[in-house]
PDB file of all heavy atoms in Angstrom:
ATOM      1  N   ARG V 109      -4.776  10.973   8.101  1.00 82.00           N
ATOM      2  CA  ARG V 109      -5.707  11.909   8.757  1.00 82.00           C
ATOM      3  C   ARG V 109      -5.012  12.722   9.833  1.00 82.00           C
ATOM      4  O   ARG V 109      -5.358  13.877  10.071  1.00 82.00           O
ATOM      5  CB  ARG V 109      -6.887  11.137   9.362  1.00 82.00           C
ATOM      6  CG  ARG V 109      -7.880  10.607   8.338  1.00 82.00           C
ATOM      7  CD  ARG V 109      -9.183  10.199   9.007  1.00 82.00           C
ATOM      8  NE  ARG V 109      -8.969   9.176  10.026  1.00 82.00           N
ATOM      9  CZ  ARG V 109      -8.993   7.861   9.787  1.00 82.00           C
ATOM     10  NH1 ARG V 109      -9.221   7.423   8.547  1.00 82.00           N
ATOM     11  NH2 ARG V 109      -8.803   6.985  10.754  1.00 82.00           N
ATOM     12  N   ALA V 110      -4.031  12.113  10.492  1.00 78.00           N
ATOM     13  CA  ALA V 110      -3.292  12.809  11.554  1.00 78.00           C
ATOM     14  C   ALA V 110      -2.223  13.739  10.997  1.00 78.00           C
ATOM     15  O   ALA V 110      -1.564  14.450  11.756  1.00 78.00           O
ATOM     16  CB  ALA V 110      -2.647  11.790  12.496  1.00 78.00           C
ATOM     17  N   GLY V 111      -2.037  13.748   9.675  1.00 71.00           N
ATOM     18  CA  GLY V 111      -1.024  14.617   9.070  1.00 71.00           C
ATOM     19  C   GLY V 111       0.386  14.088   9.207  1.00 71.00           C
ATOM     20  O   GLY V 111       1.349  14.844   9.030  1.00 71.00           O
ATOM     21  N   THR V 112       0.531  12.794   9.518  1.00 76.00           N
ATOM     22  CA  THR V 112       1.855  12.176   9.655  1.00 76.00           C
ATOM     23  C   THR V 112       2.259  11.577   8.314  1.00 76.00           C
ATOM     24  O   THR V 112       1.626  10.624   7.837  1.00 76.00           O
ATOM     25  CB  THR V 112       1.845  11.066  10.726  1.00 76.00           C
ATOM     26  OG1 THR V 112       1.384  11.639  11.954  1.00 76.00           O
ATOM     27  CG2 THR V 112       3.235  10.478  10.920  1.00 76.00           C
ATOM     28  N   GLU V 113       3.277  12.149   7.698  1.00 76.00           N
ATOM     29  CA  GLU V 113       3.695  11.700   6.368  1.00 76.00           C
ATOM     30  C   GLU V 113       4.925  10.812   6.497  1.00 76.00           C
ATOM     31  O   GLU V 113       6.041  11.309   6.686  1.00 76.00           O
ATOM     32  CB  GLU V 113       3.970  12.896   5.466  1.00 76.00           C
ATOM     33  CG  GLU V 113       2.720  13.714   5.154  1.00 76.00           C
ATOM     34  CD  GLU V 113       2.987  14.774   4.098  1.00 76.00           C
ATOM     35  OE1 GLU V 113       4.102  14.781   3.541  1.00 76.00           O
ATOM     36  OE2 GLU V 113       2.083  15.576   3.848  1.00 76.00           O
ATOM     37  N   ILE V 114       4.712   9.491   6.432  1.00 82.00           N
ATOM     38  CA  ILE V 114       5.803   8.518   6.440  1.00 82.00           C
ATOM     39  C   ILE V 114       5.634   7.637   5.211  1.00 82.00           C
ATOM     40  O   ILE V 114       4.579   7.035   5.024  1.00 82.00           O
ATOM     41  CB  ILE V 114       5.778   7.636   7.712  1.00 82.00           C
ATOM     42  CG1 ILE V 114       5.833   8.503   8.980  1.00 82.00           C
ATOM     43  CG2 ILE V 114       6.953   6.663   7.710  1.00 82.00           C
ATOM     44  CD1 ILE V 114       5.709   7.704  10.276  1.00 82.00           C
ATOM     45  N   PRO V 115       6.644   7.551   4.344  1.00 86.00           N
ATOM     46  CA  PRO V 115       6.530   6.676   3.171  1.00 86.00           C
ATOM     47  C   PRO V 115       6.288   5.227   3.603  1.00 86.00           C
ATOM     48  O   PRO V 115       6.903   4.748   4.560  1.00 86.00           O
ATOM     49  CB  PRO V 115       7.888   6.834   2.478  1.00 86.00           C
ATOM     50  CG  PRO V 115       8.430   8.131   2.975  1.00 86.00           C
ATOM     51  CD  PRO V 115       7.920   8.290   4.361  1.00 86.00           C
ATOM     52  N   ILE V 116       5.390   4.539   2.893  1.00 88.00           N
ATOM     53  CA  ILE V 116       4.994   3.174   3.275  1.00 88.00           C
ATOM     54  C   ILE V 116       5.269   2.206   2.125  1.00 88.00           C
ATOM     55  O   ILE V 116       4.919   2.489   0.973  1.00 88.00           O
ATOM     56  CB  ILE V 116       3.508   3.122   3.663  1.00 88.00           C
ATOM     57  CG1 ILE V 116       3.237   3.997   4.898  1.00 88.00           C
ATOM     58  CG2 ILE V 116       3.071   1.681   3.934  1.00 88.00           C
ATOM     59  CD1 ILE V 116       1.772   4.078   5.288  1.00 88.00           C
ATOM     60  N   VAL V 117       5.901   1.087   2.479  1.00 89.00           N
ATOM     61  CA  VAL V 117       6.054  -0.040   1.554  1.00 89.00           C
ATOM     62  C   VAL V 117       5.162  -1.166   2.084  1.00 89.00           C
ATOM     63  O   VAL V 117       5.387  -1.669   3.195  1.00 89.00           O
ATOM     64  CB  VAL V 117       7.521  -0.505   1.471  1.00 89.00           C
ATOM     65  CG1 VAL V 117       7.635  -1.754   0.594  1.00 89.00           C
ATOM     66  CG2 VAL V 117       8.405   0.617   0.941  1.00 89.00           C
ATOM     67  N   PHE V 118       4.134  -1.540   1.312  1.00 88.00           N
ATOM     68  CA  PHE V 118       3.228  -2.611   1.730  1.00 88.00           C
ATOM     69  C   PHE V 118       3.768  -3.968   1.280  1.00 88.00           C
ATOM     70  O   PHE V 118       4.307  -4.099   0.163  1.00 88.00           O
ATOM     71  CB  PHE V 118       1.831  -2.401   1.131  1.00 88.00           C
ATOM     72  CG  PHE V 118       0.986  -1.421   1.900  1.00 88.00           C
ATOM     73  CD1 PHE V 118       0.735  -0.149   1.412  1.00 88.00           C
ATOM     74  CD2 PHE V 118       0.424  -1.793   3.117  1.00 88.00           C
ATOM     75  CE1 PHE V 118      -0.046   0.737   2.119  1.00 88.00           C
ATOM     76  CE2 PHE V 118      -0.364  -0.907   3.834  1.00 88.00           C
ATOM     77  CZ  PHE V 118      -0.588   0.361   3.333  1.00 88.00           C
ATOM     78  N   ILE V 119       3.633  -4.966   2.153  1.00 87.00           N
ATOM     79  CA  ILE V 119       3.911  -6.358   1.797  1.00 87.00           C
ATOM     80  C   ILE V 119       2.690  -7.186   2.185  1.00 87.00           C
ATOM     81  O   ILE V 119       2.045  -6.926   3.210  1.00 87.00           O
ATOM     82  CB  ILE V 119       5.176  -6.893   2.511  1.00 87.00           C
ATOM     83  CG1 ILE V 119       5.065  -6.696   4.019  1.00 87.00           C
ATOM     84  CG2 ILE V 119       6.432  -6.223   1.982  1.00 87.00           C
ATOM     85  CD1 ILE V 119       6.241  -7.267   4.817  1.00 87.00           C
ATOM     86  N   THR V 120       2.329  -8.165   1.362  1.00 82.00           N
ATOM     87  CA  THR V 120       1.147  -8.967   1.677  1.00 82.00           C
ATOM     88  C   THR V 120       1.161 -10.281   0.906  1.00 82.00           C
ATOM     89  O   THR V 120       1.712 -10.367  -0.193  1.00 82.00           O
ATOM     90  CB  THR V 120      -0.142  -8.194   1.324  1.00 82.00           C
ATOM     91  OG1 THR V 120      -1.280  -8.988   1.685  1.00 82.00           O
ATOM     92  CG2 THR V 120      -0.206  -7.878  -0.154  1.00 82.00           C
ATOM     93  N   GLY V 121       0.568 -11.287   1.516  1.00 77.00           N
ATOM     94  CA  GLY V 121       0.366 -12.561   0.835  1.00 77.00           C
ATOM     95  C   GLY V 121      -1.048 -12.716   0.360  1.00 77.00           C
ATOM     96  O   GLY V 121      -1.414 -13.753  -0.208  1.00 77.00           O
ATOM     97  N   HIS V 122      -1.909 -11.706   0.583  1.00 70.00           N
ATOM     98  CA  HIS V 122      -3.332 -11.816   0.245  1.00 70.00           C
ATOM     99  C   HIS V 122      -3.801 -10.579  -0.520  1.00 70.00           C
ATOM    100  O   HIS V 122      -4.948 -10.166  -0.400  1.00 70.00           O
ATOM    101  CB  HIS V 122      -4.179 -11.982   1.513  1.00 70.00           C
ATOM    102  CG  HIS V 122      -3.743 -13.109   2.389  1.00 70.00           C
ATOM    103  ND1 HIS V 122      -2.745 -12.966   3.335  1.00 70.00           N
ATOM    104  CD2 HIS V 122      -4.149 -14.406   2.438  1.00 70.00           C
ATOM    105  CE1 HIS V 122      -2.570 -14.125   3.966  1.00 70.00           C
ATOM    106  NE2 HIS V 122      -3.407 -15.018   3.423  1.00 70.00           N
ATOM    107  N   GLY V 123      -2.920  -9.996  -1.277  1.00 61.00           N
ATOM    108  CA  GLY V 123      -3.274  -8.766  -1.975  1.00 61.00           C
ATOM    109  C   GLY V 123      -3.986  -9.023  -3.284  1.00 61.00           C
ATOM    110  O   GLY V 123      -3.935 -10.120  -3.841  1.00 61.00           O
ATOM    111  N   ASP V 124      -4.659  -7.991  -3.775  1.00 65.00           N
ATOM    112  CA  ASP V 124      -5.266  -8.036  -5.104  1.00 65.00           C
ATOM    113  C   ASP V 124      -5.054  -6.680  -5.763  1.00 65.00           C
ATOM    114  O   ASP V 124      -4.556  -5.741  -5.159  1.00 65.00           O
ATOM    115  CB  ASP V 124      -6.754  -8.400  -5.032  1.00 65.00           C
ATOM    116  CG  ASP V 124      -7.533  -7.495  -4.085  1.00 65.00           C
ATOM    117  OD1 ASP V 124      -7.134  -6.312  -3.946  1.00 65.00           O
ATOM    118  OD2 ASP V 124      -8.518  -7.949  -3.482  1.00 65.00           O
ATOM    119  N   ILE V 125      -5.433  -6.586  -7.022  1.00 70.00           N
ATOM    120  CA  ILE V 125      -5.171  -5.354  -7.783  1.00 70.00           C
ATOM    121  C   ILE V 125      -5.924  -4.151  -7.207  1.00 70.00           C
ATOM    122  O   ILE V 125      -5.322  -3.090  -6.999  1.00 70.00           O
ATOM    123  CB  ILE V 125      -5.522  -5.574  -9.273  1.00 70.00           C
ATOM    124  CG1 ILE V 125      -4.528  -6.558  -9.893  1.00 70.00           C
ATOM    125  CG2 ILE V 125      -5.489  -4.238 -10.023  1.00 70.00           C
ATOM    126  CD1 ILE V 125      -4.838  -6.917 -11.328  1.00 70.00           C
ATOM    127  N   PRO V 126      -7.226  -4.231  -6.895  1.00 74.00           N
ATOM    128  CA  PRO V 126      -7.912  -3.059  -6.311  1.00 74.00           C
ATOM    129  C   PRO V 126      -7.258  -2.596  -5.009  1.00 74.00           C
ATOM    130  O   PRO V 126      -7.148  -1.393  -4.748  1.00 74.00           O
ATOM    131  CB  PRO V 126      -9.334  -3.555  -6.077  1.00 74.00           C
ATOM    132  CG  PRO V 126      -9.511  -4.676  -7.044  1.00 74.00           C
ATOM    133  CD  PRO V 126      -8.178  -5.334  -7.145  1.00 74.00           C
ATOM    134  N   MET V 127      -6.831  -3.558  -4.177  1.00 76.00           N
ATOM    135  CA  MET V 127      -6.194  -3.196  -2.907  1.00 76.00           C
ATOM    136  C   MET V 127      -4.892  -2.445  -3.159  1.00 76.00           C
ATOM    137  O   MET V 127      -4.612  -1.416  -2.530  1.00 76.00           O
ATOM    138  CB  MET V 127      -5.925  -4.463  -2.082  1.00 76.00           C
ATOM    139  CG  MET V 127      -5.359  -4.198  -0.693  1.00 76.00           C
ATOM    140  SD  MET V 127      -4.912  -5.731   0.161  1.00 76.00           S
ATOM    141  CE  MET V 127      -6.519  -6.500   0.343  1.00 76.00           C
ATOM    142  N   SER V 128      -4.086  -2.941  -4.094  1.00 75.00           N
ATOM    143  CA  SER V 128      -2.801  -2.275  -4.376  1.00 75.00           C
ATOM    144  C   SER V 128      -3.017  -0.891  -4.981  1.00 75.00           C
ATOM    145  O   SER V 128      -2.299   0.050  -4.668  1.00 75.00           O
ATOM    146  CB  SER V 128      -1.961  -3.142  -5.313  1.00 75.00           C
ATOM    147  OG  SER V 128      -2.592  -3.294  -6.578  1.00 75.00           O
ATOM    148  N   VAL V 129      -4.038  -0.772  -5.847  1.00 76.00           N
ATOM    149  CA  VAL V 129      -4.339   0.528  -6.460  1.00 76.00           C
ATOM    150  C   VAL V 129      -4.736   1.542  -5.387  1.00 76.00           C
ATOM    151  O   VAL V 129      -4.277   2.692  -5.379  1.00 76.00           O
ATOM    152  CB  VAL V 129      -5.459   0.386  -7.518  1.00 76.00           C
ATOM    153  CG1 VAL V 129      -5.962   1.766  -7.954  1.00 76.00           C
ATOM    154  CG2 VAL V 129      -4.959  -0.398  -8.720  1.00 76.00           C
ATOM    155  N   ASN V 130      -5.597   1.137  -4.447  1.00 75.00           N
ATOM    156  CA  ASN V 130      -6.030   2.037  -3.370  1.00 75.00           C
ATOM    157  C   ASN V 130      -4.842   2.459  -2.498  1.00 75.00           C
ATOM    158  O   ASN V 130      -4.745   3.625  -2.092  1.00 75.00           O
ATOM    159  CB  ASN V 130      -7.094   1.358  -2.506  1.00 75.00           C
ATOM    160  CG  ASN V 130      -8.407   1.201  -3.250  1.00 75.00           C
ATOM    161  OD1 ASN V 130      -8.688   1.942  -4.187  1.00 75.00           O
ATOM    162  ND2 ASN V 130      -9.215   0.227  -2.837  1.00 75.00           N
ATOM    163  N   ALA V 131      -3.953   1.503  -2.198  1.00 79.00           N
ATOM    164  CA  ALA V 131      -2.788   1.819  -1.372  1.00 79.00           C
ATOM    165  C   ALA V 131      -1.870   2.810  -2.067  1.00 79.00           C
ATOM    166  O   ALA V 131      -1.379   3.770  -1.454  1.00 79.00           O
ATOM    167  CB  ALA V 131      -2.028   0.533  -1.033  1.00 79.00           C
ATOM    168  N   MET V 132      -1.642   2.622  -3.377  1.00 79.00           N
ATOM    169  CA  MET V 132      -0.758   3.522  -4.126  1.00 79.00           C
ATOM    170  C   MET V 132      -1.387   4.906  -4.271  1.00 79.00           C
ATOM    171  O   MET V 132      -0.706   5.926  -4.184  1.00 79.00           O
ATOM    172  CB  MET V 132      -0.454   2.933  -5.499  1.00 79.00           C
ATOM    173  CG  MET V 132       0.270   1.591  -5.466  1.00 79.00           C
ATOM    174  SD  MET V 132       1.899   1.658  -4.682  1.00 79.00           S
ATOM    175  CE  MET V 132       2.845   2.396  -6.002  1.00 79.00           C
ATOM    176  N   LYS V 133      -2.704   4.955  -4.482  1.00 74.00           N
ATOM    177  CA  LYS V 133      -3.390   6.249  -4.570  1.00 74.00           C
ATOM    178  C   LYS V 133      -3.271   7.021  -3.268  1.00 74.00           C
ATOM    179  O   LYS V 133      -3.224   8.254  -3.251  1.00 74.00           O
ATOM    180  CB  LYS V 133      -4.867   6.044  -4.926  1.00 74.00           C
ATOM    181  CG  LYS V 133      -5.115   5.792  -6.395  1.00 74.00           C
ATOM    182  CD  LYS V 133      -6.608   5.727  -6.672  1.00 74.00           C
ATOM    183  CE  LYS V 133      -6.887   5.561  -8.167  1.00 74.00           C
ATOM    184  NZ  LYS V 133      -8.348   5.505  -8.447  1.00 74.00           N
ATOM    185  N   ALA V 134      -3.269   6.303  -2.152  1.00 74.00           N
ATOM    186  CA  ALA V 134      -3.168   6.953  -0.836  1.00 74.00           C
ATOM    187  C   ALA V 134      -1.736   7.346  -0.496  1.00 74.00           C
ATOM    188  O   ALA V 134      -1.497   7.891   0.581  1.00 74.00           O
ATOM    189  CB  ALA V 134      -3.717   6.030   0.244  1.00 74.00           C
ATOM    190  N   GLY V 135      -0.785   7.056  -1.402  1.00 75.00           N
ATOM    191  CA  GLY V 135       0.574   7.536  -1.191  1.00 75.00           C
ATOM    192  C   GLY V 135       1.613   6.483  -0.911  1.00 75.00           C
ATOM    193  O   GLY V 135       2.760   6.827  -0.588  1.00 75.00           O
ATOM    194  N   ALA V 136       1.272   5.203  -1.012  1.00 84.00           N
ATOM    195  CA  ALA V 136       2.267   4.159  -0.774  1.00 84.00           C
ATOM    196  C   ALA V 136       3.351   4.212  -1.838  1.00 84.00           C
ATOM    197  O   ALA V 136       3.091   4.532  -3.004  1.00 84.00           O
ATOM    198  CB  ALA V 136       1.604   2.788  -0.769  1.00 84.00           C
ATOM    199  N   VAL V 137       4.587   3.877  -1.432  1.00 84.00           N
ATOM    200  CA  VAL V 137       5.715   3.879  -2.360  1.00 84.00           C
ATOM    201  C   VAL V 137       5.710   2.601  -3.207  1.00 84.00           C
ATOM    202  O   VAL V 137       5.979   2.632  -4.406  1.00 84.00           O
ATOM    203  CB  VAL V 137       7.046   4.013  -1.586  1.00 84.00           C
ATOM    204  CG1 VAL V 137       8.239   3.885  -2.520  1.00 84.00           C
ATOM    205  CG2 VAL V 137       7.087   5.343  -0.842  1.00 84.00           C
ATOM    206  N   GLU V 138       5.379   1.462  -2.598  1.00 86.00           N
ATOM    207  CA  GLU V 138       5.415   0.172  -3.297  1.00 86.00           C
ATOM    208  C   GLU V 138       4.436  -0.781  -2.644  1.00 86.00           C
ATOM    209  O   GLU V 138       4.105  -0.651  -1.460  1.00 86.00           O
ATOM    210  CB  GLU V 138       6.829  -0.401  -3.258  1.00 86.00           C
ATOM    211  CG  GLU V 138       7.048  -1.645  -4.084  1.00 86.00           C
ATOM    212  CD  GLU V 138       6.758  -1.457  -5.562  1.00 86.00           C
ATOM    213  OE1 GLU V 138       5.571  -1.627  -5.923  1.00 86.00           O
ATOM    214  OE2 GLU V 138       7.689  -1.143  -6.327  1.00 86.00           O
ATOM    215  N   PHE V 139       3.934  -1.739  -3.421  1.00 86.00           N
ATOM    216  CA  PHE V 139       3.018  -2.764  -2.929  1.00 86.00           C
ATOM    217  C   PHE V 139       3.580  -4.110  -3.407  1.00 86.00           C
ATOM    218  O   PHE V 139       3.455  -4.461  -4.585  1.00 86.00           O
ATOM    219  CB  PHE V 139       1.607  -2.525  -3.480  1.00 86.00           C
ATOM    220  CG  PHE V 139       0.532  -3.296  -2.779  1.00 86.00           C
ATOM    221  CD1 PHE V 139      -0.200  -2.721  -1.755  1.00 86.00           C
ATOM    222  CD2 PHE V 139       0.253  -4.614  -3.132  1.00 86.00           C
ATOM    223  CE1 PHE V 139      -1.212  -3.423  -1.114  1.00 86.00           C
ATOM    224  CE2 PHE V 139      -0.745  -5.330  -2.497  1.00 86.00           C
ATOM    225  CZ  PHE V 139      -1.476  -4.731  -1.470  1.00 86.00           C
ATOM    226  N   LEU V 140       4.211  -4.872  -2.491  1.00 86.00           N
ATOM    227  CA  LEU V 140       4.924  -6.097  -2.864  1.00 86.00           C
ATOM    228  C   LEU V 140       4.151  -7.326  -2.403  1.00 86.00           C
ATOM    229  O   LEU V 140       3.916  -7.507  -1.202  1.00 86.00           O
ATOM    230  CB  LEU V 140       6.314  -6.110  -2.221  1.00 86.00           C
ATOM    231  CG  LEU V 140       7.264  -4.966  -2.606  1.00 86.00           C
ATOM    232  CD1 LEU V 140       8.550  -5.084  -1.807  1.00 86.00           C
ATOM    233  CD2 LEU V 140       7.549  -4.990  -4.093  1.00 86.00           C
ATOM    234  N   PRO V 141       3.765  -8.204  -3.340  1.00 85.00           N
ATOM    235  CA  PRO V 141       3.115  -9.467  -2.938  1.00 85.00           C
ATOM    236  C   PRO V 141       4.169 -10.479  -2.486  1.00 85.00           C
ATOM    237  O   PRO V 141       5.282 -10.524  -3.016  1.00 85.00           O
ATOM    238  CB  PRO V 141       2.432  -9.927  -4.230  1.00 85.00           C
ATOM    239  CG  PRO V 141       3.228  -9.303  -5.334  1.00 85.00           C
ATOM    240  CD  PRO V 141       3.777  -8.012  -4.799  1.00 85.00           C
ATOM    241  N   LYS V 142       3.829 -11.255  -1.463  1.00 82.00           N
ATOM    242  CA  LYS V 142       4.720 -12.326  -1.006  1.00 82.00           C
ATOM    243  C   LYS V 142       4.578 -13.541  -1.933  1.00 82.00           C
ATOM    244  O   LYS V 142       3.457 -13.822  -2.384  1.00 82.00           O
ATOM    245  CB  LYS V 142       4.359 -12.734   0.434  1.00 82.00           C
ATOM    246  CG  LYS V 142       4.523 -11.655   1.476  1.00 82.00           C
ATOM    247  CD  LYS V 142       4.074 -12.173   2.842  1.00 82.00           C
ATOM    248  CE  LYS V 142       4.122 -11.108   3.907  1.00 82.00           C
ATOM    249  NZ  LYS V 142       3.617 -11.587   5.203  1.00 82.00           N
TER     250      LYS V 142
END
């Protein structure tokens, strides 16, 4: 929203498929489960 474009790599131990899909749609580079 602030117009700050920084590539993001998500890491999580509590992720699920809908969460990863939403993150990738919003521009995340990768979504890595622990």
